[in-house]
Amino acid sequence: MRSPGGWNMMQRRALVALAVVGGLALAGCTGDEPGPTMVSAGPDTAATPTRPAVDSDVSPKGMGPYLVGVKLADLQTAGLVGDTEKADGCPDLALGKGLPDYAVPALVFDDGQLVRLTVSTPAVRTTEGGRVAMTRAEVEANHPDGRQLAGRAGASGWLVTEDVNGLLFRFDGEDRVESIEAGESAAIQRRFTNGREC
C-alpha cells in the first residue's frame, strides 16, 4: 500500500503532465500560422555558383563565375567550362568555352588563370547597358570614359578601362559592335593590335 506522501507525488506528476499537454493543445489553437517545417538541408550548395539566364552583365572584371583571375581548375571542378585547347604559338595559354547559360563566352587562360573573355551576342550587356549590335554612338554614350583603339587591318574599337582590367567593344564595317571583350587591359590590347593571343 502506498503512503499518503507517495500518492501525493503521483498525483502531482499526473497534474504536471496534464498541464503540459493542455498547454501544448492550447498553443496549437492560437490561430497563428504554423512555424517553419524543419527539412534536411541536403548537400551544401553555398559554394556552387548560380546559373542565371543568359541576360547577364559583363564588366571589366568578367561575367558571372568567369572573373579575371579565377582558376581554370576551379571552373572545371564546378562544371562551368569543358575541355580546353592550346592557343597556336602560345604554350602558356589555354582556350575554352563557358556555359550556354552565359551565352558561351570564349575564355582565355594564361598559366591556368582567366585573363580574358569574349561575348558576341546581344543577350549579354555591360553593366552600363552596352550590347553587341549597338552603334558606335550608343556605345560611346553608355561608356563616355572610353577611348578609341585602332587594331590590325583597320579594325576599330572602343576601350573602357577600370584599374588593370578593361572592356573592348569591337566594331564591324558598319560601326556596330560585333563582340565585347573583358579582362586584363594588356591582354585585350595586345590581341587587338597584333591579332595574336600572346
Side-chain angles (χ1 to χ4, degrees):
M1 182 158 191
R2 292 187 182 93
S3 67
W7 180 256
N8 286 338
M9 181 60 77
M10 298 232 2
Q11 286 178 325
R12 282 187 208 136
R13 286 184 186 159
L15 287 173
V16 168
L18 284 173
V20 169
V21 170
L24 290 174
L26 287 174
C29 296
T30 61
D32 292 340
E33 292 295 319
T37 303
M38 297 302 288
V39 178
S40 172
D44 181 15
T45 57
T48 305
T50 57
R51 297 179 178 178
V54 168
D55 199 11
S56 186
D57 288 351
V58 60
S59 76
K61 296 177 183 177
M63 174 179 66
Y66 308 109
L67 299 176
V68 174
V70 68
K71 293 180 180 179
L72 170 59
D74 291 342
L75 291 174
Q76 288 175 323
T77 298
L80 294 166
V81 64
D83 294 334
T84 60
E85 59 185 39
K86 292 291 182 187
D88 289 339
C90 305
D92 292 335
L93 296 188
L95 309 178
K97 297 279 188 189
L99 294 180
D101 294 348
Y102 293 93
V104 194
L107 308 171
V108 179
F109 299 89
D110 187 352
D111 199 24
Q113 292 187 322
L114 184 67
V115 292
R116 182 173 55 78
L117 67 83
T118 305
V119 294
S120 50
T121 171
V124 176
R125 64 178 180 273
T126 67
T127 52
E128 289 79 12
R131 291 181 186 265
V132 168
M134 273 189 166
T135 65
R136 179 186 301 272
E138 290 172 323
V139 169
E140 292 179 9
N142 283 334
H143 297 274
D145 295 334
R147 64 181 172 88
Q148 188 69 30
L149 195 63
R152 291 182 64 223
S156 177
W158 187 254
L159 180 67
V160 180
T161 57
E162 180 181 292
D163 298 323
V164 298
N165 297 320
L167 283 174
L168 174 65
F169 297 87
R170 286 178 173 260
F171 297 104
D172 62 18
E174 298 178 356
D175 261 358
R176 288 191 173 272
V177 179
E178 64 181 7
S179 66
I180 302 171
E181 296 178 23
E184 294 179 358
S185 284
I188 290 172
Q189 292 182 67
R190 180 175 57 243
R191 181 171 183 267
F192 189 69
T193 55
N194 67 22
R196 291 176 50 86
E197 292 290 355
C198 59

